[in-house]
Amino acid sequence: MDPSQTIYATLPMPAEAKAVFERSCKNCHSDETSWPWYSYVAPVSWVIARDVHQARKAMNLSEWGGYSANQKTDKLEEICEQVTNGDMPDRKYTLIHRPARLTAKERDLICQWSEDSREY
Ligand code: HEC
């Protein structure tokens, strides 16, 4: 992983927004997955490995710098959409990982940040 390519290194982000990504998204959407104990137990391990693989493919916060300007804009729009309609963080995950759930205030914060960031 190249630290200069992370979303944090390539986009200005307030500490509160970064905290949300770190708490609720990075386990699936980055190269810095910390695997909980239950991820080693089948069949949970199969589901989680597949999810993380797909999640990184869809959006990898560790490789943000590699996206084109268009891809970045798309993903920033998607981020706001997905957290607003409650699709992200993934429900399977928040069920077993309750602290990952977002408050209404955090959803607003992420959307505001993603809107502000589309100019970059
Ligand atoms: C348990 C794993 C998991 C967590 C946690 C998670 N996601 Fe996802 N995410 C996925 C998977 C898997 C996909 C791709 C498949 C899909 O769309 O369901 C995805 C897709 C996305 C996409 C669509 C990207 C695109 O361009 O199509 C966005 C945006 C996204 N997630 C944002 C987030 C944000 C923001 C968070 C944190 C608030 C988050 N996700 C937390 C698993 C996760």
Side-chain angles (χ1 to χ4, degrees), residues 26 31 81 110 119:
K26 84 155 185 191
D31 296 339
E81 215 174 285
I110 293 299
E119 296 150 30

Side-chain angles (χ1 to χ4, degrees), residues 20-29 48 50-59 61 71 74-83 87-94 97 100 102 110:
V20 172
F21 278 104
E22 288 285 293
R23 193 186 87 230
S24 302
C25 318
K26 84 155 185 191
N27 257 348
C28 295
H29 286 287
I48 291 187
R50 201 198 56 209
D51 266 16
V52 170
H53 178 74
Q54 284 175 352
R56 283 181 187 155
K57 234 173 40 184
M59 180 180 75
L61 301 172
Q71 284 175 313
D74 282 354
K75 290 187 196 307
L76 287 167
E77 279 172 15
E78 279 285 324
I79 286 173
C80 176
E81 215 174 285
Q82 303 264 346
V83 300
D87 283 349
M88 286 290 148
D90 193 275
R91 271 190 205 90
K92 285 198 293 308
Y93 184 69
T94 48
H97 203 78
L102 304 189
I110 293 299

